[in-house]
Amino acid sequence: MDMNELYRLHQVSITQAANAATVEARISHAGRASGYAALIAGKQLSFGVDRPTLVSSS
């Protein structure tokens, strides 16, 4: 999965969390966003970025 796709999925998850109808759905989407943020940070580190620009979804 390339960086653009990860950024897109991260943003979609944040939007879904913000618009979630239930607390459980909000938690689930926020957790997914956090997971994508971790993947993005990991890829940035593997590319040699000293301090990833995206380290959390909050």
Side-chain angles (χ1 to χ4, degrees):
M1 190 175 311
D2 70 8
M3 292 296 285
N4 287 325
E5 182 69 3
L6 285 174
Y7 281 122
R8 185 188 75 76
L9 291 170
H10 178 256
Q11 188 61 47
V12 167
S13 296
I14 288 172
T15 301
Q16 289 174 326
N19 296 321
T22 66
V23 171
E24 292 83 4
R26 189 172 307 117
I27 291 168
S28 176
H29 291 301
R32 188 172 301 142
S34 181
Y36 287 127
L39 288 173
I40 291 166
K43 281 196 176 237
Q44 288 175 335
L45 289 170
S46 75
F47 297 148
V49 175
D50 290 330
R51 295 187 324 169
T53 57
L54 179 61
V55 294
S56 72
S57 60
S58 49

